[in-house]
Amino acid sequence: MTSRAGTAPSIVWLRRDLRLADQAALLAAAQEGPVIPVYVLDDETPRNFRMGAASRWWLHHSLACLDRQLRGIGSRLILRRGKCHEELAAIRRETGARTVHALHHYEPWWRNAESAVAKTFRLHLHDGNYLAPPGSILTGSGSPYKIYTPFWNALRERMPPAPPTPEPTSLEAPEVWPRSDNLEDWGLIPATPDWASGFREEWTPGEVGACERLQDFAGRAGGYANFRNLPSDDCTSRLSPHLHFGEMSPATVWQSVADAGGSVEVFLGELGWRDYAQTVIIQFPEYGSRNAREAYDSLNWQTDRVSLLAWQQGRTGYPIVDAGMRELWHTGWMHNRVRMIAASFLVKHLLIDWREGERWFWDTLVDADYGSNAVNWQWTAGTGVDSNMFVRIMAPLTQSPKFDAADYIRRWVPELAHLSDRDIHDPAVPPTGYPAKIVDHAAARARALAAHDRMKHG
Ligand code: FAD
């Protein structure tokens, strides 16, 4: 079966690259003739890394946006559910497509899926979801980097990335469209209870929303270096879910921010962390579930469901931690400084294995990302390949005034909203409805250091 032009259509296999602009797979397929854009849901992913509820909410809206955009240029998005190689093979039978174009992805399950697809298709994998192809930035001796700073220095030398390519203005349709699922039938968005009202207030998933967010941020990126650690100021880009779902390429972000001028080096370095995380998971595919420093397997981690629940619900009695955890629940996102404080609190104050925190973030973050989540959790816990941070125990009650979090706490912990800028970080007597501290800072710190010592010395 062939198209009107007599050319078999090509499949564009979309995953975390839900955009039209700077999309090398789409561009290459369009140059060959008719195009069938396809998204396959889920069965490839191991059960414990199936997309969490927050990510599914995002995915629904991002796919709807992409379909609208594709229809605007004469195409549409085909939705299928199952194993990618089986669904793509079925589409081949329905349409005669023999070639698949896709962007590279580095999660271990995607690499396996690519091998399976390559058995029945001419599979062309393109770059473009990272600043440089992950795995291409190597030390002088030709091995991949394990530590962020030298990795970034080497990556920076290769920058800027190639200029982004524009989105296609039309796509040739195949003679026959394959069957497609109905997005509404996938049940990605919550019905009862509808917990996503805070998400709707905060986000516009999809490439259109991503462009608006970038435009807004580029104009104020010059203030990022000074204010990025202040959770009360809305000064970071909030591009993370858009970047995670590939609704815009990092090259597009780089170009817009660099073109805006001003001092943006710190921001570009943060973008570099995204690439670094991929370098790590290529070397350590099980990074999301195994300690890179195996000695930490024997640390006396606590199984403490009550404290874990208090942390998840933002009821630890530490206002900055609780504000962060409630922001996460309400919006699917948390400020980076507060992520660090909340993560350190779980691992060190509560002595709970980082994987419990990683799981919770996986389910609740709209930017939940296999590489970035694992790298940041293992970094905080000191179990990772980068510098060992276990003994750096963040003091939430010091961090909170240091980073001027009073208004942030007021917003997310209304029980404390009436307190003064001085008292809100550590109320002497918890007001009605707000819990007392679930652990004492000094005692928790001493317990963590003692546990670490015992692990080290046998
Ligand atoms: P900005 O400060 O504006 O930075 C711009 C972009 O750079 C971000 O959108 C993001 O893509 C990238 N970036 C910035 N910091 C980091 C970082 N430390 N690691 C990797 N990429 C970074 N980020 C995720 O994208 N997904 C996750 O699952 C995730 N889990 C995290 C878990 C913990 C425990 C911690 C401490 C951090 C985690 N981060 C994660 C990193 C960081 O908190 C977010 O990327 C950032 O808060 C997103 O907000 P922003 O878009 O405003 O970032």
Side-chain angles (χ1 to χ4, degrees):
M1 202 177 296
T2 52
S3 79
R4 276 162 304 202
T7 318
S10 302
I11 293 172
V12 176
W13 174 27
L14 294 154
R15 289 175 284 174
R16 294 196 298 94
D17 37 35
L18 305 176
R19 64 177 181 271
L20 301 187
D22 204 22
Q23 224 300 6
L26 193 62
L27 207 62
Q31 279 161 3
E32 286 171 1
V35 176
I36 306 175
V38 178
Y39 184 89
V40 184
L41 184 69
D42 234 4
D43 281 7
E44 219 70 56
T45 318
R47 194 156 286 284
N48 52 339
F49 284 105
R50 292 263 160 93
M51 247 181 249
S55 299
R56 283 176 183 263
W57 175 87
W58 190 285
L59 177 69
H60 176 100
H61 295 289
S62 191
L63 292 175
C65 173
L66 186 61
D67 186 51
R68 281 194 299 276
Q69 290 178 287
L70 285 166
R71 284 176 190 272
I73 55 171
S75 187
R76 69 178 71 161
L77 182 60
I78 299 299
L79 301 175
R80 307 284 281 236
R81 189 166 202 162
K83 284 204 183 335
C84 292
H85 70 279
E86 290 173 4
E87 291 308 311
L88 297 183
I91 292 173
R92 176 190 174 126
R93 289 192 293 277
E94 291 167 45
T95 65
R98 286 188 192 82
T99 303
V100 172
H101 289 276
L103 293 195
H104 274 289
H105 292 282
Y106 301 92
E107 287 86 346
W109 57 89
W110 284 135
R111 294 166 77 191
N112 292 339
E114 286 161 10
S115 304
V117 169
K119 287 191 180 130
T120 39
F121 283 95
R122 283 190 298 271
L123 174 63
H124 298 284
L125 290 171
H126 305 266
D127 295 315
N129 258 356
Y130 295 95
L131 292 170
S136 71
I137 304 291
L138 300 172
T139 63
S141 59
S143 44
Y145 286 93
K146 293 193 172 64
I147 310 286
Y148 168 75
T149 304
F151 168 81
W152 169 243
N153 291 338
L155 174 62
R156 185 69 185 88
E157 296 241 306
R158 294 254 301 263
M159 294 295 105
T165 53
E167 58 185 74
T169 50
S170 69
L171 287 178
E172 194 179 330
E175 193 171 89
V176 180
W177 281 106
R179 179 187 65 72
S180 176
D181 288 355
N182 185 346
L183 181 59
E184 306 300 325
D185 295 340
W186 278 2
L188 299 174
I189 44 178
T192 36
D194 173 12
W195 43 257
S197 63
F199 288 39
R200 288 192 291 273
E201 280 163 30
E202 180 62 44
W203 305 106
T204 309
E207 189 171 15
V208 177
C211 291
E212 285 166 9
R213 184 77 77 169
L214 176 60
Q215 206 174 16
D216 167 59
F217 175 70
R220 52 189 177 82
Y224 179 87
N226 286 336
F227 304 114
R228 72 194 173 112
N229 276 313
L230 308 182
S232 300
D233 286 19
D234 185 15
C235 101
T236 68
S237 71
R238 294 186 185 230
L239 286 169
S240 51
H242 297 293
L243 281 163
H244 167 75
F245 281 94
E247 295 167 356
M248 67 177 15
S249 72
T252 303
V253 176
W254 182 291
Q255 192 182 59
S256 302
V257 169
D259 282 358
S263 153
V264 294
E265 207 48 41
V266 173
F267 176 79
L268 299 178
E270 292 302 311
L271 214 48
W273 272 96
R274 222 181 133 258
D275 275 48
Y276 167 70
Q278 300 306 304
T279 294
V280 173
I281 63 163
I282 290 175
Q283 297 176 72
F284 306 97
E286 293 180 63
Y287 213 69
S289 51
R290 281 182 68 165
N291 288 329
R293 289 192 166 94
E294 286 177 4
Y296 283 81
D297 293 349
S298 65
L299 196 134
N300 186 22
W301 301 111
Q302 303 293 298
T303 309
D304 178 353
R305 304 318 290 178
V306 174
S307 297
L308 177 61
L309 193 66
W311 179 80
Q312 290 169 339
Q313 293 182 338
R315 297 192 57 76
T316 66
Y318 283 80
I320 182 76
V321 174
D322 294 341
M325 297 308 291
R326 295 183 196 189
E327 179 184 32
L328 173 61
W329 182 253
H330 194 73
T331 68
W333 185 88
M334 196 198 301
H335 187 277
N336 179 59
R337 168 61 46 183
V338 191
R339 287 189 205 201
M340 287 160 66
I341 297 169
S344 173
F345 186 85
L346 181 79
V347 175
K348 294 156 195 178
H349 285 73
L350 302 181
L351 215 56
I352 291 177
D353 193 309
W354 64 269
R355 284 166 283 208
E356 292 285 359
E358 190 276 346
R359 293 286 77 209
W360 185 252
F361 274 27
W362 185 259
D363 196 35
T364 53
L365 277 173
V366 285
D367 63 25
D369 181 275
Y370 182 73
S372 294
N373 204 25
V375 161
N376 281 285
W377 273 102
Q378 294 230 39
W379 179 82
T380 305
T383 56
V385 290
D386 207 332
S387 328
N388 187 338
M389 302 299 284
F390 189 93
V391 293
R392 186 177 145 198
I393 297 181
M394 283 184 162
L397 302 176
T398 314
Q399 292 271 316
S400 187
K402 181 174 174 194
F403 293 108
D404 210 2
D407 284 343
Y408 178 74
I409 295 171
R410 267 185 206 109
R411 173 157 188 217
W412 294 113
V413 190
E415 305 96 290
L416 305 180
H418 61 285
L419 296 178
S420 69
D421 276 9
R422 203 195 50 185
D423 294 340
I424 198 166
H425 306 285
D426 184 14
V429 181
T432 315
Y434 188 69
K437 294 186 181 70
I438 59 169
V439 285
D440 171 71
H441 170 67
R445 185 172 189 283
R447 178 177 70 161
L449 292 174
H452 191 254
D453 240 35
R454 275 198 302 279
M455 177 205 79
K456 266 181 85 181
H457 300 117

